Amino acid sequence: MAKKLNRIKVVLVEKGISQTELAEKIGKSFSTMNAYCANRQQPSLEVLAEIADFLSVSIKDLIVDSADKKIDNN
């Protein structure tokens, strides 16, 4: 199982935006976006910034904090 390092999929659901729409807006393929959302691959900081900008969130909102992981494991 992939280690969860980003929250892209969660934020997309919260915003009601599809992976396909995000992929098109930032110029990535659906398969790349799906890999990001499934945490099989991690975006570069530059791509993460583009995603955050499109979703109107901070980069920090897209990253799993180590404190969050501790809460999730309880």
Side-chain angles (χ1 to χ4, degrees):
M1 185 171 153
K3 185 175 182 180
K4 292 189 177 184
L5 298 174
N6 75 61
R7 299 180 65 249
I8 297 170
K9 184 175 182 178
V10 173
V11 176
L12 284 173
V13 170
E14 289 172 354
K15 299 275 186 176
I17 298 171
S18 70
Q19 291 179 32
T20 303
E21 184 180 352
L22 176 58
E24 289 171 358
K25 292 292 184 184
I26 67 165
K28 298 291 179 189
S29 69
F30 173 80
S31 61
T32 297
M33 189 55 56
N34 185 259
Y36 294 162
C37 289
N39 278 281
R40 290 189 309 271
Q41 183 179 336
Q42 296 305 318
S44 68
L45 286 175
E46 292 83 3
V47 172
L48 202 60
E50 288 180 50
I51 293 169
D53 185 53
F54 175 70
L55 296 175
S56 300
V57 298
S58 74
I59 290 175
K60 289 175 74 172
D61 291 333
L62 298 176
I63 299 172
V64 174
D65 187 293
S66 60
D68 291 340
K69 284 188 266 185
K70 291 175 188 166
I71 293 168
D72 289 344
N73 290 333
N74 286 338

